[in-house]
Amino acid sequence: MELIEGNNMNELWQALIIGAFTLAGPFIGIQAQKFFERKQIIKQRKGEIFRTLLTSQKDKSSTECVKALNLLLVDFPDANQAFKNAVSDYKEHINNGVQHGTDAQRAKWDSELNNKFDKLLSEVAENYDKSLIKDKQLETFNYLPQIQADRKHQELSLIHISEPTRRTP
């Protein structure tokens, strides 16, 4: 008799477990879906920032680049310390810019700015998608269409031509 009661008890537990999983299954599935959607949105935001920084290497003062720089610590909260140091180093360099220096000082400052931006971009790439880094180097392709280079050359030529020449007495 006790054996029959034990089997009934096992069947009752099995029914309760099946009922609990039947009720909890959709809830768990929805929560898992929300989790993966949030992860995907975070990855997309990081990608947008990375692409913006990558495309604005030549114009670091553009509105898009400034916005991306301002969002770095917001959208990369889980970044490593090297990333945070690169952001801080770049920000400090910009804030301590050469205002009234010689051409050589400005050229040196610009060169350091480019190096710090490259380091920052490399850290962003590593924290966004590690496959972009090969042998601790960011693999990029900087392309300036010839037509843009020609236009810039023409503009500089026109500026040079339009400048008044000094006459010596």
Side-chain angles (χ1 to χ4, degrees):
M1 197 77 167
E2 290 178 22
L3 185 59
I4 295 174
E5 287 179 15
N7 281 339
N8 285 340
M9 199 60 150
N10 284 338
E11 289 175 10
L12 178 64
W13 278 109
Q14 285 177 351
L16 287 174
I17 291 172
I18 290 171
F21 279 112
T22 302
L23 294 175
F27 176 75
I28 292 170
I30 290 170
Q31 294 306 313
Q33 181 182 1
K34 285 181 180 180
F35 172 78
F36 289 119
E37 286 173 354
R38 281 191 298 268
K39 294 290 266 183
Q40 183 180 13
I41 289 169
I42 290 169
K43 181 90 169 166
Q44 286 174 342
R45 287 182 61 145
K46 288 180 177 183
E48 289 171 11
I49 290 172
F50 174 69
R51 283 185 289 280
T52 300
L53 292 175
L54 190 62
T55 58
S56 61
Q57 290 181 69
K58 299 291 182 193
D59 186 12
K60 295 175 187 70
S61 61
S62 70
T63 305
E64 296 83 16
C65 185
V66 172
K67 283 180 186 177
L69 288 169
N70 287 330
L71 288 173
L72 282 174
L73 294 177
V74 172
D75 285 339
F76 287 84
D78 56 344
N80 60 24
Q81 191 60 41
F83 175 91
K84 292 174 183 173
N85 290 343
V87 171
S88 175
D89 196 28
Y90 185 77
K91 180 180 166 186
E92 184 178 313
H93 188 74
I94 289 174
N95 290 335
N96 297 324
V98 176
Q99 302 294 331
H100 305 288
T102 65
D103 287 343
Q105 288 172 326
R106 278 192 224 117
K108 181 181 178 202
W109 186 86
D110 284 340
S111 175
E112 289 175 6
L113 180 72
N114 290 334
N115 290 338
K116 291 176 187 299
F117 189 84
D118 290 345
K119 174 68 175 157
L120 175 65
L121 192 58
S122 180
E123 289 298 330
V124 171
E126 186 172 334
N127 281 273
Y128 165 59
D129 185 356
K130 294 190 186 315
S131 69
L132 296 171
I133 305 293
K134 298 206 168 113
D135 299 326
K136 298 194 179 198
Q137 288 290 107
L138 172 62
E139 305 244 340
T140 62
F141 177 71
N142 237 345
Y143 172 66
L144 179 63
Q146 188 60 42
I147 193 165
Q148 286 182 355
D150 292 343
R151 282 185 192 150
K152 202 166 245 340
H153 180 69
Q154 287 174 346
E155 287 173 7
L156 290 173
S157 296
L158 289 172
I159 290 170
H160 182 68
I161 291 170
S162 66
E163 290 177 350
T165 56
R166 293 185 183 173
R167 295 184 184 184
T168 54

